Amino acid sequence: MEKDEYAWFASRILGWIGVDLGEYKRPQMERRLTSLRQRWNCSSWEAFFELLRRDRRVYQEFLDKMTINVSEFYRNPGRWEVIARRLVPRYLGLSRPVRCWSAACSTGEEPYTLAMILMEGGLIPSRFDILATDIDETAMERAKQGIYRTASLEHVPSGVKAKYFDRLDEERWAIRPVVKQRVTFRRHNLLADPYDHGFDLIVCRNVMIYFTEEAKTRIYPKFRESLVPGGILFVGSTEPIFQPERYGFRVFDTFFYEKTGLPQAPPGGRNRRPSAHRAMRAAPVPSDGPASEILAQPGGSSMLRFLTAGESHGPELTAIVEGLPSRLPIQSALIDQELRRRQQGHGRGGRMRIESDRVEITGGLRFGKTLGSPLTMKIRNRDWENWKTKMAVEGDPPPEAKPVTKPRPGHADLAGLLKYNHDDVRNVLERSSARNTATLVAVGAVARQLLMPFGIRIFSHVVEIGGVEAERFPQRIEDIAGMAEKSPVRCADPEASARMVEAIDQARRDGNTLGGIFEVVALGVPPGLGSYAHPDRRLDGRLAGALMSIQAIKGVELGLGFAAARLPGSEVHDEIGYDPSVGYTRETNHAGGIEGGVSNGQPVVVRAAMKPIPTLYKPLRSVDIHSKEPFQASVERSDTCAVPAAAVVGEAMVAWVLAASFREKFAGDSLEEVRAQFDHYMDMVSRR
């Protein structure tokens, strides 16, 4: 049988190069190596093993498949900022050199980034050293050369690039000796080799996710022993440590863990992982007035809620978030990052060239942490300078503030006029404008920062624009997210992405607009959010309502969605299994992570359909509200396609709903109380 052959292959690899494939998650690793074996036309695992021994090229590809050599400088810049802001000042006060370890360093971008951050923070080169290790010696040889392509430097600050890199040609950069000399490269197998000691900082990112839970329970204690008292372990954004106190760590910052006293034994003496995160093995199907209030619970819960206000061309947009626990770290840079993502995407209009959104937090935060009081945020409208007279807050209307009397089809114009008894369409369109989604994104970015310490990650990708559908998706969830961010339309299928761009360009030439469909995926959602007991507390209902609250969204589906109506039950429902080593399992995720209105521990997958933007440069017919004469509808500055931006807004609303449901499930006035409830619940679930 194939599984027996793979086990034989794994045993031979262990005896040959000392790498234990049994320590890696089998479904992922077997799938990756099977594709490589088939590409080299090997009919069996035995034949593949013999080829590995004979052909150095195949052996190198095998190592690449196994070690996932994907990296870039300053990957996730906000996380590196924690080192610059919180750790470097600590290191400056040491009387000895600082020792760091970049474990699983791949091609060297990570240790070199660390070296540059330490030097930029004021540490002279002789006051620190960095050990960089990896199992792939070829990757480390590339690292030692220190030559990188332009794409790898995308997130490097311009001043740092000028200081530490030399440009070789249009596509290549060489890192300068002052950086290279602080990094020592050495081959090391995290699963088998002994660990050095005395490190102030260990950076091990985006590799632990590939190991089995059993392997992790052996590696984390080794990392702890390698650290000095108070030393820090920095992990990747997809691999948070749940219940870090079991291993002798405490949360220092998001994805940073500080060495504390002795590890705490888990209740009952068992060290099993929560079932919420076992279920992440299953991949998702590729698959009204001047202010508005959204409550965490439609029935009126005040646990977590927000309020927004402001007009599109007014002085500023405002958002107030109530119900956050105290002592929660909030970074305005991470909010700004999401605001920038909302403004991007092929097909956006002229307003995006005017605005450069940045948040200003004016209440509820002190020294970077929440106080438990309402959090207040402002986003200034730069275009207000051009509208001060026509959008004045006080006084009488000036002559130039001529009323807009031609409601546009597809907008809230006419319905809003009738509802609020206005005689100027501008009184409606200023608030109903999608400009106000900036506040939704800011609120969602705060929600994400509440969810991140508990391992919940959210991303989106576009699956259709103007009838062009994405068909080919990467197998790994992480690759879908990464490829979507590199696409001008946030589509993870490169061929479909190019055709979507062409369709948008043609629509612009035609004076038309295009809609589409985007998918939002939430990883690490624990089971038990929402409720089957009351309709207004169903998680799926809340998600649908939140996404439908976004301008231009006309349809929402979860998991298979409407496709489930066309299939027999045997092809729709996700069968349940049980593996003693990992707990409950699912081979599919057709339900989209929600059953009976309750999250079931699998990834939450939801899609939303966006209609074409109704403001057309070839206007549709309308009627003047005063004369009742037919006219061409008025034209406001508009986008040709905003589906990529809507996907970012969709992420924000999914993050908000999950955070609100999370707060209901895990109440507490401080972050420590919330974490204690979360840890207790997840430990209880893990023993079921």
Side-chain angles (χ1 to χ4, degrees), residues 31 150 154 187 207 298-299 306 387-388 415 417 509 515 568 588 624:
R31 182 171 61 248
T150 300
E154 179 181 356
R187 186 186 186 279
V207 65
F306 72 82
W387 288 79
K388 280 184 175 180
L417 286 171
R509 290 190 290 267
T588 60
D624 188 289

Side-chain angles (χ1 to χ4, degrees), residues 251-420:
V251 175
F252 177 79
D253 206 306
T254 307
F255 309 123
F256 287 81
Y257 300 90
E258 183 174 24
K259 178 178 177 178
T260 60
L262 294 175
Q264 298 179 12
R270 303 181 68 185
N271 199 6
R272 293 176 53 186
R273 283 296 194 213
S275 63
H277 307 284
R278 304 174 195 145
M280 284 174 59
R281 301 190 323 172
V285 181
S287 328
D288 32 303
S292 66
E293 184 176 34
I294 300 181
L295 300 179
Q297 177 179 316
S301 169
S302 60
M303 178 67 75
L304 187 64
R305 61 182 180 177
F306 72 82
L307 185 74
T308 71
E311 284 68 52
S312 179
H313 295 96
E316 64 190 28
L317 305 175
T318 304
I320 299 175
V321 179
E322 183 183 18
L324 293 170
S326 69
R327 298 174 56 79
L328 173 69
I330 296 292
Q331 295 185 46
S332 60
L334 296 182
I335 302 174
D336 291 343
Q337 176 179 297
E338 296 304 310
L339 291 173
R340 285 193 297 272
R341 293 177 67 227
R342 188 195 74 93
Q343 293 186 288
Q344 297 169 2
H346 193 74
R348 300 307 305 276
R351 185 73 187 264
M352 296 306 103
R353 293 189 293 270
I354 297 173
E355 302 295 350
S356 181
D357 291 339
R358 296 179 64 87
V359 72
E360 180 182 353
I361 300 177
T362 60
L365 200 69
R366 187 166 188 250
F367 304 131
K369 292 187 178 182
T370 55
L371 300 175
S373 52
L375 184 78
T376 306
M377 298 178 286
K378 297 194 302 185
I379 303 169
R380 301 191 183 277
N381 290 325
R382 290 180 61 189
D383 210 14
W384 161 246
E385 294 298 323
N386 302 317
W387 288 79
K388 280 184 175 180
T389 302
K390 290 184 285 186
M391 287 295 295
V393 176
E394 297 180 319
D396 296 324
E400 59 266 36
K402 296 179 180 179
V404 179
T405 61
K406 304 177 183 67
R408 300 160 299 169
H411 281 281
D413 296 359
L414 182 57
L417 286 171
L418 298 175
K419 176 177 175 63
Y420 290 105

Side-chain angles (χ1 to χ4, degrees), residues 13 17 19 21 24 29 32-33 61-68 135 210:
I13 291 294
I17 60 174
V19 174
L21 294 178
Y24 293 82
M29 186 58 67
R32 295 176 67 86
L33 296 182
E61 282 198 48
F62 165 74
L63 289 180
D64 288 341
K65 283 285 187 182
M66 189 180 66
T67 55
I68 328 295
I135 198 173
Y210 301 106

Side-chain angles (χ1 to χ4, degrees), residues 532 538 540 573-574 576 586 591 593-600 602:
Y532 59 82
R538 292 178 63 96
D540 44 10
H573 305 296
D574 305 306
I576 303 171
R586 310 259 188 159
I594 299 175
E595 292 174 303
V598 182
S599 61
N600 62 14
Q602 292 185 283

